[in-house]
Amino acid sequence: MAHLLFSIIVTNPVDMKKLLFLLFCLISFIEIQAQVNRWGNQPPVYNYSDADVRTPSLSGGIQVAVPTGSFAESYDGIPAGFGAQFLFNIRQTPFEWGIGFSWHSMGSLNEDIWVYEGTDVDGDDVYSRGSMSVKSNNYAYHGLFRFEPFKGTFQPYADLVGGMKSFSTKTEIEIKDTDDVEVNKLKPNFGLSYGWAVGAKYKLTDELAIELRFANMKGGATKFVDRNSIQIDDTGGFQYELISSTTDNLIFQAGVSLEF
């Protein structure tokens, strides 16, 4: 079943979005019906000293980001990492605001190389054996506006999300049998990021809940380093190619949430 679901996510992202939206609506309807059954014909009377009081929350969990559109065509891989969201309630309304952060690894590689050291007394080029590691990362910083209608055991919600992404590639070159390490950052870049998210929490205790979250994010056009194209020329300089693309993706998060 898990393998089938993952296949749907990767190969049919549009169908997956429809499925998640319908699932969110169904779960919300079930929760509304449960609330109505508990309240009967009487509207709820909130006592903010009980468990329904709205307090700040901190969520975090592992994330998988499935590229879509031109991003899926130009980037070969599925970034993974972690994400976190910190939200404050707007008084005791169903609305909240906050910030979100995520980090995704976009891949790494390690290879043995020859490192240019300069010239000797005779003017000949000198090379030493070494190793090069390359790590590519994507960071995202977002503002969040959330609608969370229920504060009971089950808490579905919907978010509007906007902010920016950064892309960075770092190389580390180490010469064999020495402690010399050269670190280089290649062509960092930024892009806009915006979209929406839906999710749900299930409370295990008054403070702790498990949480699932899905986000459909649009990314502005940007450029990032193709890690597989990085080479070192005869003078020790870097040669590489840039990938130009939008950065749309579908993000799946599973984790926990703490309420203060």
Side-chain angles (χ1 to χ4, degrees), residues 212-225:
L212 296 176
R213 187 172 187 267
F214 164 78
N216 180 15
M217 300 300 299
K218 301 295 183 182
T222 188
K223 295 180 179 180
F224 52 92
V225 175

Side-chain angles (χ1 to χ4, degrees), residues 122-241:
D122 297 323
D124 296 325
D125 293 336
V126 177
Y127 294 88
S128 298
R129 291 188 61 84
S131 62
M132 179 177 69
S133 67
V134 180
K135 297 179 181 179
S136 296
N137 296 291
N138 165 223
Y139 301 90
Y141 313 87
H142 292 120
L144 306 173
F145 183 75
R146 174 170 294 181
F147 174 64
E148 189 174 47
F150 311 115
K151 292 299 289 186
T153 301
F154 179 75
Q155 302 174 7
Y157 61 80
D159 293 344
L160 292 177
V161 186
M164 63 177 292
K165 296 178 180 179
S166 70
F167 297 85
S168 66
T169 298
K170 183 176 71 172
T171 66
E172 293 186 2
I173 297 176
E174 181 177 356
I175 299 175
K176 296 290 187 181
D177 302 322
T178 73
D179 295 328
D180 296 338
V181 178
E182 178 185 342
V183 179
N184 296 275
K185 292 185 178 180
L186 308 180
K187 197 65 176 180
N189 216 331
F190 301 87
L192 294 177
S193 177
Y194 58 93
W196 55 266
V198 293
K201 304 175 186 177
Y202 185 83
K203 298 190 73 171
L204 303 176
T205 68
D206 288 343
E207 294 82 19
L208 179 65
I210 55 175
E211 179 178 6
L212 296 176
R213 187 172 187 267
F214 164 78
N216 180 15
M217 300 300 299
K218 301 295 183 182
T222 188
K223 295 180 179 180
F224 52 92
V225 175
D226 181 356
R227 69 182 185 280
N228 295 311
S229 70
I230 298 175
Q231 295 181 349
I232 299 178
D233 59 28
D234 292 339
T235 63
F238 286 97
Q239 301 291 332
Y240 53 86
E241 296 178 1

Side-chain angles (χ1 to χ4, degrees), residues 92-104:
Q92 294 298 324
T93 70
F95 300 101
E96 300 179 350
W97 66 273
I99 56 175
F101 167 80
S102 66
W103 162 79
H104 298 146

Side-chain angles (χ1 to χ4, degrees), residues 37-53:
N37 291 338
R38 287 197 295 269
W39 298 336
N41 295 324
Q42 301 296 322
V45 177
Y46 287 105
N47 177 1
Y48 294 135
S49 64
D50 62 21
D52 287 336
V53 65

